[in-house]
């Protein structure tokens, strides 16, 4: 049976949501509550970097002096943040009976093996999205492929887990900038993806002049591009673009989340800041 309910979660980040596992769980469950009573199969998506503040605030705020005491502090924090992020999101997928894109966090990719348990195969950090099924199973760990200048220290991902075949249809996942590259879109479309998830975090004012054409606004260009992204495709019919807002590491994020069909915006958030649930239910 194809997906019937879609939820794009626009979320504002605040440190208090990330200081304990309990606070993070409460936050995630509150944002998913609009799914209650909706028809299944369900598909929900959080924004890019939604999990990053766990790395910075979980069990105490990060301060650079930590590196003086322990150069391995970022890896210890990443392991703990990844564990909380993964477990809470798996629990949420089960509780709401939904396929769930958990947004992204910055972390080495972790693997599971019977004898070794959870381990990092590489020490390099990536911008990773986690995708779960309604039973809380991790179906895909998706790395961002196209990195912005502030992300240049991260390990670039390669195409692979960006297409997930579920019982409700094929889902493509492209993290923010990845979704603006035609070669990635065309590849997912050719492989049969029907729904595209593009979690995003835009570190700029939504109404600023667009740097490549200052006669236009940032948000205007973003929305126009999203409406055109699915036109003329073989299989792609729906785009969920959940966006982050708030401040992280001195950067201010804004973004108007949307759910799009070919050539049209089906649902748009009212503003580029604050929380909002975009809920689309099909007959």
């Amino acid at each position: 049976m194809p997906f019937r309910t879609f939820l794009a979660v626009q979320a504002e980040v605040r440190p208090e949501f990330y200081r304990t596992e309990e606070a993070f769980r409460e936050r995630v469950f509150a944002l998913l509550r609009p799914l209650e009573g909706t028809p299944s199969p369900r598909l929900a998506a959080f924004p890019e970097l939604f999990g990053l503040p766990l790395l910075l605030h979980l069990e105490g705020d990060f301060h650079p002096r930590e590196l003086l005491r322990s150069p391995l502090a970022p890896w210890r924090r990443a392991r703990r943040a990844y564990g909380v992020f993964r477990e809470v999101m798996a629990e949420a997928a089960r509780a709401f009976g939904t396929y769930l894109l958990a947004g992204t966090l910055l972390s080495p990719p972790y693997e599971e093996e019977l004898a070794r348990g959870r381990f990092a195969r590489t020490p390099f950090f990536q911008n990773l999205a986690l995708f779960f099924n309604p039973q809380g199973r991790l179906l895909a760990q998706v790395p961002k492929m196209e990195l912005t200048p502030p992300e240049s220290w991260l390990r670039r991902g390669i195409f692979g887990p960006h297409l997930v075949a579920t019982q409700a249809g094929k889902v493509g996942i492209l993290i923010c900038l990845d979704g603006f590259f035609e070669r990635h879109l065309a590849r997912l479309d050719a492989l049969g993806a029907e729904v595209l998830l593009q979690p995003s975090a835009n570190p700029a004012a939504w109404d600023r002049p667009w740097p490549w054409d200052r006669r236009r606004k940032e948000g205007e260009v973003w929305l126009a591009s999203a409406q055109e992204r699915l036109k003329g495709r073989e299989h792609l019919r729906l785009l969920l673009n959940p966006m982050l807002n708030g401040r992280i590491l001195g950067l201010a994020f804004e973004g108007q989340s949307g759910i799009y069909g070919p050539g049209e915006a089906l649902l748009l958030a009212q503003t580029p800041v604050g929380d909002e649930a975009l809920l689309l239910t099909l007959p």
Side-chain angles (χ1 to χ4, degrees):
M1 178 186 296
F3 292 110
R4 294 188 60 196
T5 299
F6 302 88
L7 176 65
V9 177
Q10 178 168 304
E12 179 180 4
V13 293
R14 297 180 185 174
E16 58 265 30
F17 298 145
Y18 296 90
R19 290 200 167 107
T20 67
E21 181 175 343
E22 293 74 22
F24 183 63
R25 179 180 292 105
E26 183 177 340
R27 172 65 167 160
V28 168
F29 275 58
L31 290 170
L32 290 175
R33 201 149 288 132
L35 286 175
E36 291 179 344
T38 59
S40 59
R42 305 178 183 97
L43 177 60
F46 281 88
E48 181 185 22
L49 301 184
F50 181 73
L52 172 58
L54 286 170
L55 181 69
L56 304 173
H57 302 296
L58 185 64
E59 300 176 352
D61 294 345
F62 174 77
H63 192 279
R65 63 173 172 264
E66 277 189 48
L67 298 174
L68 298 177
R69 294 194 300 266
S70 173
L72 296 179
W75 285 270
R76 281 199 287 269
R77 278 185 168 268
R79 183 178 180 84
R80 175 62 175 153
Y82 179 94
V84 168
F85 189 66
R86 177 167 173 166
E87 298 310 319
V88 168
M89 288 300 189
E91 182 182 337
R94 290 192 297 270
F96 290 92
T98 185
Y99 288 93
L100 179 62
L101 181 72
T104 78
L105 78 168
L106 304 186
S107 171
Y110 285 91
E111 299 190 19
E112 305 279 347
E113 193 268 333
L114 180 61
R116 299 176 65 179
R118 181 175 297 165
F119 68 98
R121 190 176 290 278
T122 171
F124 297 105
F125 280 61
Q126 292 185 305
N127 190 344
L128 291 173
L130 305 185
F131 186 69
F132 297 88
N133 72 7
Q135 290 73 46
R137 283 286 186 181
L138 181 63
L139 296 183
Q141 190 166 231
V142 183
K144 190 173 184 179
M145 297 177 286
E146 308 294 341
L147 303 179
T148 63
E151 297 173 304
S152 60
W153 63 279
L154 297 171
R155 171 65 62 90
R156 183 186 302 271
I158 59 174
F159 189 91
H162 300 77
L163 177 72
V164 183
T166 76
Q167 293 182 8
K170 291 184 178 181
V171 177
I173 301 167
L174 294 175
I175 300 170
C176 202
L177 185 58
D178 293 350
F180 293 96
F181 279 75
E182 175 59 26
R183 65 190 179 96
H184 300 319
L185 290 163
R187 189 171 188 179
L188 285 176
D189 188 40
L191 290 171
E194 300 149 315
V195 180
L196 175 63
L197 306 180
Q198 188 184 2
S200 297
N202 179 55
W206 203 239
D207 62 354
R208 74 167 182 174
W210 192 46
W212 290 272
D213 183 352
R214 301 186 67 82
R215 296 168 299 177
R216 306 176 72 188
K217 301 290 187 182
E218 181 95 7
E220 171 194 346
V221 174
W222 192 289
L223 297 179
S225 171
Q227 292 182 66
E228 293 296 311
R229 210 158 298 154
L230 304 186
K231 289 179 70 173
R233 303 292 180 185
E234 290 291 310
H235 301 283
L236 284 169
R237 290 293 178 267
L238 197 67
L239 163 63
L240 275 64
N241 182 212
M243 300 196 71
L244 190 83
N245 63 86
R247 298 188 68 86
I248 304 177
L249 293 174
L251 296 175
F253 294 84
E254 292 186 7
Q256 189 177 11
S257 300
I259 297 179
Y260 302 88
E264 61 177 336
L266 303 175
L267 291 172
L268 287 175
Q270 296 183 32
T271 71
V273 296
D275 296 340
E276 190 162 344
L278 301 183
L279 186 68
L280 176 67
T281 303
L282 301 180

